């Protein structure tokens, strides 16, 4: 799955690896068997939108979310084929997903999501701070697209991310260690 060139490109063999100070939090690469939990994580991130659809049945919502998840998953796999697609584990239990990719001067967070029971506990802050540390240690910036209505937008701003562009419903945000 990982050729030597890909490992070198990702910095794994050169010591560039995301380190999390919380020993209860770990990562593992996703696999096809993870589809149900990945769909659950995705659906939980869209729950507020689904709650607004009063005239849709539960099955219609599930069908819609499944279609959207499949489209997003396919898009990410095709457009970020060198990315890391990881489950976030707490005590070995999947609690979220972190998708990211390294470029020459940048770490791009493709997607980060935690199940609702694990939000507002500092886990997201810890993950983002670890990504920022990895970036700073390697002279890189961190970038992410964040929906303007995403409650986590305040977290990104608090951690020093700055909006540099708008792309439809997304703010393109960058964190740069030099700016802090």
């Amino acid at each position: 799955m990982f050729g030597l060139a890909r490992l070198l490109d990702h910095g794994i063999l050169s010591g560039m690896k995301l380190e999390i100070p919380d020993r209860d939090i770990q990562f593992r690469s996703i696999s096809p068997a993870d589809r149900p939990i990945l769909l659950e994580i995705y659906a939980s991130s869209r729950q507020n939108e689904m709650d607004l659809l009063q005239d849709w049945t539960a099955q219609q919502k599930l069908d819609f979310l499944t279609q959207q998840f499949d489209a997003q998953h396919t898009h990410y796999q095709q457009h970020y084929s060198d990315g890391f697609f990881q489950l976030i584990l707490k005590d070995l239990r999947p609690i979220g997903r972190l998708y990211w990719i390294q470029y020459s001067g940048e770490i791009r967070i493709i997607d980060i999501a935690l199940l609702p029971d694990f939000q507002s506990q500092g886990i997201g802050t810890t993950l983002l701070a670890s990504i920022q540390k990895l970036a700073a240690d390697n002279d890189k910036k961190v970038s992410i697209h964040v929906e303007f209505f995403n409650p986590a937008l305040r977290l990104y701003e608090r951690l020093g991310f700055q909006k540099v562009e708008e792309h439809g419903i997304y703010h393109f945000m960058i964190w740069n260690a030099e700016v802090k």
Side-chain angles (χ1 to χ4, degrees):
M1 182 170 173
F2 288 99
L4 180 59
R6 185 167 181 208
L7 290 172
L8 288 169
D9 286 345
H10 284 313
I12 293 173
L13 295 181
S14 63
M16 190 168 173
K17 182 180 172 200
L18 185 59
E19 300 287 338
I20 303 297
D22 183 342
R23 294 186 185 270
D24 295 335
I25 302 294
Q26 298 175 343
F27 302 104
R28 78 165 168 75
S29 295
I30 64 169
S31 73
D34 295 319
R35 187 177 186 282
I37 188 63
L38 291 169
L39 176 57
E40 180 182 343
I41 294 164
Y42 174 80
S44 74
S45 74
R46 304 280 310 264
Q47 188 58 52
N48 290 340
E49 295 169 80
M50 294 297 101
D51 290 345
L52 299 174
L53 301 173
Q54 299 293 324
D55 48 345
W56 283 23
T57 66
Q59 187 61 52
Q60 287 173 316
K61 291 177 184 180
L62 178 59
D63 291 346
F64 173 78
L65 290 168
T66 301
Q67 182 270 330
Q68 292 289 294
F69 167 77
D70 288 338
Q72 183 190 69
H73 185 76
T74 299
H75 174 81
Y76 286 165
Q77 297 294 311
Q78 289 176 349
H79 289 87
Y80 300 101
S81 59
D82 287 335
F84 291 101
F85 298 90
Q86 300 172 305
L87 275 174
I88 303 165
L89 309 172
K90 182 171 177 67
D91 300 321
L92 302 180
R93 176 181 166 216
I95 64 165
R97 68 182 190 179
L98 174 63
Y99 298 170
W100 60 291
I101 190 166
Q102 294 183 54
Y103 297 122
S104 62
E106 171 186 2
I107 294 175
R108 168 79 49 93
I109 301 170
I110 303 165
D111 193 85
I112 182 171
L114 293 169
L115 290 168
D117 288 348
F118 298 93
Q119 295 173 5
S120 301
Q121 297 180 22
I123 297 169
T125 301
T126 298
L127 294 171
L128 291 168
S130 296
I131 293 168
Q132 289 173 314
K133 181 179 182 333
L134 177 65
D137 290 350
N138 290 278
D139 297 319
K140 296 178 183 270
K141 61 186 176 183
V142 180
S143 65
I144 187 168
H145 284 91
V146 183
E147 294 167 325
F148 69 85
F149 53 84
N150 185 331
L153 180 61
R154 290 184 301 279
L155 171 62
Y156 295 111
E157 292 170 339
R158 193 176 79 235
L159 293 175
F161 284 81
Q162 297 179 347
K163 180 176 79 168
V164 294
E165 294 177 14
E166 290 187 18
H167 297 224
I169 63 168
Y170 296 95
H171 294 318
F172 181 62
M173 304 183 80
I174 291 180
W175 176 87
N176 190 333
E178 297 170 4
V179 175
K180 285 188 189 176

